[in-house]
């Protein structure tokens, strides 16, 4: 029974809350985060508050064998640039210690790690696929690439059955300071729904890889039961590639808002980092049955359902 | 004047001591280590004892701009397996913090990082060259690959002018517990010189990539002044590929010892990790003028000079 338990870190966040709800009742869950756990007192869910870089917390979370870990806890891109020391602790030291502790029971737990397309940095090559080498520019992207390497190594050694999933832009996050440089992608939904004007820091022709939270949660849950392959511990997740003006038009259509509420004032750094995403192919993830939202209309409808 | 200063970490170690002696008098040097600094009170050398994961020490070492850093401090392979938490602090957290602190002055210091062929893990492919992907098996190798990624990122960002040099086996280290799984390579020299028997944990046909300390120091000093290229921040160092029985014969010849003092009891794990090194080509380092010892006789003579 104990070995069926799944640990979810970052469980209080935007993705984590939906993931806990999706898994609650199917298996015993330990949900941990520094905050945001209030709504997760669901059947079979044990909530544990704390900082993931606290070794005493890690020891408690891993005191008994775990069947799986889904590691979402992170300091995102903008926040990591603002506090490099904190980001190094949370994004690098903490997952290294957590994974080591979880592996120590010898039961090779499944480990799903929320990595990021930030490992590719910018400028991106004309096409991104499963062979594209990592080349981070943000601290956050470097941290993710470093932990991917750690997980690949521990998986080859048999300590864990690891899989790093590189997340694209996930929409629509809550309208709050998230520390994410890509926050404008979610803020667009909030603005048009509220009939507020919004200035986007990219051009109308900007192209972004996007996935709704629900589609991501479906991928994460599916990843738990995928066969583990020590030679494939990193996957680019399927995502729709959407032109910014098309996204604005579709959000306006589904919310009944005037698309002219959205105007464009491209910031070259934001455009380069989040608005110049080339065609993406993800044959390895596709072959495993992971899928994006399918259509722009479905993506926007799913994102609006989060608001 | 201050910006000419070179910081050398791990300065009290086998390589560090020789490096400090080679550079002393040419430029102001700050030599730091937890121990082993006693003999380094040379002109222009400031010795600072301390643990490299002590943030107060790092702050003191980087209080003024540095022209360059040669980062040698590390917990080696065997010791890292024995104390994973210590190794994560010294091998990952400490260099991340040190490099960030050094970069904060905005003068893009030169950064030479002692990485390792352990990034390639085992089994090795039939040939290793500049395109061979990393695939560590030891924690130590994963740590080195992770810091290579950190340095590549900070170099692309302009924070440092970094270069990770992947060291092969360095001989002949002192006869002492070094925490290195490859210690037998150095212990052979000590044994034959002392006319002591030694049992080698590899086969006579084992092949190893080797470099003498003097040849390595020459490479490290040359690396300080190489032009920095953000697209080439990782180099495999030139090394001789030597068959174990040939090494035994040459050490016996130069020391006048009976080669039969060395016997073989191969340990499969040691043979795989250190005795199955395939042909190595290092065109990028060769083009930059870095060179190995040239001949087996020169390698052995240089290694014996360290005893």
């Amino acid at each position: 029974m104990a070995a069926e338990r799944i640990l979810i870190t970052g469980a209080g966040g935007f993705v984590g809350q939906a993931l806990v709800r999706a898994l609650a009742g199917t298996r015993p869950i330990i949900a941990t985060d520094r905050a945001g756990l209030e709504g997760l007192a669901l059947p079979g869910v044990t909530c544990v508050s704390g900082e993931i870089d606290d070794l005493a917390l890690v020891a408690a979370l891993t005191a008994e064998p775990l069947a799986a870990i889904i590691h979402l806890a992170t300091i995102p891109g903008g926040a990591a640039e603002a506090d490099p020391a904190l980001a190094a602790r949370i994004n690098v030291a903490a997952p290294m210690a957590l994974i080591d502790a979880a592996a120590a029971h010898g039961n090779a737990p499944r480990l799903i790690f929320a990595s990021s397309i930030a490992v590719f940095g910018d400028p991106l090559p004309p096409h991104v696929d499963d062979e594209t080498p990592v080349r981070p520019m943000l601290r956050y992207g470097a941290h993710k690439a470093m932990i991917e390497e750690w997980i690949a190594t521990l998986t080859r050694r048999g300590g864990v059955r690891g899989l790093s999933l590189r997340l694209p832009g996930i929409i629509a996050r809550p309208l709050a300071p998230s520390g994410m440089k890509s926050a404008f992608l979610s803020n667009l939904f909030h603005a048009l729904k509220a009939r507020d004007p919004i200035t986007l820091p990219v051009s109308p022709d900007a192209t972004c890889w996007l996935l709704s939270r629900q589609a991501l949660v479906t991928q994460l849950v599916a990843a738990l039961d995928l066969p583990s392959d020590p030679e494939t511990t990193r996957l680019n997740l399927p995502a729709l590639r959407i032109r910014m003006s098309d996204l604005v038009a579709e959000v306006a259509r589904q919310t009944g808002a005037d698309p002219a509420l959205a105007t464009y004032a491209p910031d070259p750094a934001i455009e380069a980092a989040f608005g110049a995403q080339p065609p993406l192919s993800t044959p390895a993830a596709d072959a495993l049955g992971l899928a994006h939202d399918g259509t722009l209309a479905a993506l926007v409808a799913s994102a609006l359902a989060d608001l």
Side-chain angles (χ1 to χ4, degrees), chain A residues 90-155:
Chain A
I90 300 293
N91 290 351
V92 181
M96 290 179 72
L98 174 66
I99 296 165
D100 256 341
H105 292 287
N107 68 323
R110 182 63 161 161
L111 171 70
I112 307 298
F113 171 56
S115 184
S116 168
I117 57 168
V119 298
F120 295 124
D122 65 84
L124 289 161
H127 186 97
V128 170
D129 61 26
D130 293 337
E131 309 307 319
T132 303
V134 304
R135 191 180 176 284
M137 287 298 285
L138 291 175
R139 286 164 196 278
Y140 173 72
H143 296 162
K144 294 296 188 189
M146 293 165 76
I147 295 301
E148 287 187 359
E149 196 68 52
W150 184 245
I151 291 171
T153 302
L154 288 203
T155 299

Side-chain angles (χ1 to χ4, degrees), chain A residues 142-294:
Chain A
H143 296 162
K144 294 296 188 189
M146 293 165 76
I147 295 301
E148 287 187 359
E149 196 68 52
W150 184 245
I151 291 171
T153 302
L154 288 203
T155 299
R156 277 191 293 272
R157 292 160 64 105
V160 294
R161 293 176 295 123
L163 184 61
S164 297
L165 301 178
R166 292 166 176 165
L167 275 55
I170 308 299
I171 53 176
R173 296 179 182 273
L175 191 61
S178 70
M180 306 189 101
K181 288 173 175 279
S182 56
F184 69 92
L185 290 166
S186 292
N187 292 349
L188 168 68
F189 288 77
H190 295 275
L192 293 196
K193 189 177 181 198
R195 307 293 188 267
D196 287 336
I198 181 170
T199 302
L200 299 167
V202 293
S203 69
D205 287 335
T207 50
C208 307
W209 300 330
L210 296 175
L211 196 63
S212 74
R213 173 167 72 164
Q214 184 52 54
L216 172 61
V217 166
T218 300
Q219 292 183 353
L220 292 170
V221 172
L224 278 176
D225 294 321
L226 289 176
S228 178
D229 174 2
E231 298 304 323
T232 306
T233 59
R234 301 164 169 96
L235 281 183
N236 299 330
L237 285 186
L240 284 170
R241 177 174 180 255
I242 304 292
R243 191 173 305 274
M244 201 63 205
S245 54
D246 293 340
L247 183 65
V248 169
E250 183 63 21
V251 177
R253 189 184 71 79
Q254 293 197 24
T255 57
D258 180 353
L261 285 168
T263 53
Y264 301 89
D267 172 322
I270 301 283
E271 180 95 10
F274 302 103
Q277 294 175 343
L280 168 71
S281 56
T282 58
D286 298 347
L288 294 167
L290 304 181
H292 55 54
D293 291 87

